[in-house]
Amino acid sequence: HGFVAEYGAELGSSYSSAFIGVSNEADGFLQTSINGAFAESSEANTTFLGVSSFGWLDKTWSYNAIGSWGLTSMKTGGLGLLNDVSDVSSSSFAFEVARPVGLSEEDSIHIGFSQPLRVESGNASLKVPGLYKEGGELQYTNAEIGLSPSGRQIDFSVGYQAKLKQKFNVGVRLVISDDVGHVRSNSVENSAMAFLKFAL
């Protein structure tokens, strides 16, 4: 749960806005799950802000753009290997342009690039199991870990969508992704998807 506040205004042929908000997550942070041996319970608070804009670049090309940045801290409760996570900064962005093609009455081609949500930096405190004491008590040492992925996933996409006979919406999208999962890699991954939507 949380809230967001936004202020926007028309600027020429575009509408741009700035937003700020706060979210609260239980049993995880930034849409990830933390449970089991890591923590019996957890609560994360994220403060985020960003900008968005959409409109026309000229008479044929339209655009959509959004970017956000957030700061997260998480506290854990009960027994578990994870003590806490703090000062986690994250970012995401997307930009897309589109224009009509003319193969049907309502169709368009879309070209864009985006970065899925990525942790930029942060700190985590972790209990590392060690040797047993006499009597069977397990010893732990605390380790401070810096959070930062080795790569940055960037997705490049090209798509086409059209409305057929006022009842069918069809589309296809091709995506080339670099450093999938924000893990540094010397290769890229290709994917394709298609959809068909029927309106009654």
Side-chain angles (χ1 to χ4, degrees):
H1 63 271
F3 75 90
V4 61
E6 178 185 20
Y7 175 79
E10 291 188 9
L11 301 172
S13 59
S14 299
Y15 181 87
S16 299
S17 63
F19 57 88
I20 186 171
V22 175
S23 67
N24 180 272
E25 298 174 85
D27 300 324
F29 76 107
L30 299 179
Q31 302 175 12
T32 62
S33 176
I34 295 178
N35 50 36
F38 286 99
E40 290 184 1
S41 64
S42 67
E43 181 178 345
N45 293 291
T46 300
T47 302
F48 58 90
L49 55 88
V51 293
S52 66
S53 183
F54 64 89
W56 293 89
L57 299 174
D58 57 25
K59 293 182 179 180
T60 56
W61 287 96
S62 64
Y63 78 94
N64 280 286
I66 188 169
S68 66
W69 178 87
L71 186 63
T72 302
S73 290
M74 186 184 76
K75 298 297 182 183
T76 60
L79 299 175
L81 299 177
L82 189 62
N83 286 334
D84 69 313
V85 178
S86 61
D87 299 326
V88 177
S89 64
S90 58
S91 69
S92 65
F93 63 80
F95 180 81
E96 181 182 85
V97 294
R99 63 162 294 167
V101 179
L103 299 179
S104 67
E105 290 185 5
E106 294 184 44
D107 70 349
S108 56
I109 186 173
H110 299 255
I111 303 170
F113 65 92
S114 61
Q115 176 205 282
L117 185 65
R118 179 183 190 269
V119 170
E120 299 292 342
S121 63
N123 301 296
S125 178
L126 190 68
K127 295 178 182 177
V128 179
L131 300 176
Y132 285 96
K133 288 183 178 180
E134 290 185 15
E137 181 184 352
L138 182 60
Q139 299 182 91
Y140 295 91
T141 57
N142 289 325
E144 299 296 327
I145 301 171
L147 303 178
S148 181
S150 60
R152 182 181 300 274
Q153 179 176 338
I154 300 294
D155 299 327
F156 299 91
S157 64
V158 177
Y160 172 80
Q161 64 185 51
K163 179 178 284 188
L164 305 177
K165 297 183 179 180
Q166 303 301 315
K167 288 189 176 182
F168 290 95
N169 285 288
V170 298
V172 62
R173 186 183 183 201
L174 306 176
V175 181
I176 300 174
S177 301
D178 186 33
D179 288 352
V180 173
H182 302 305
V183 178
R184 184 177 297 280
S185 172
N186 293 323
S187 62
V188 297
E189 292 191 15
N190 304 310
S191 60
M193 59 199 76
F195 73 87
L196 171 62
K197 182 179 180 182
F198 177 72
L200 297 175

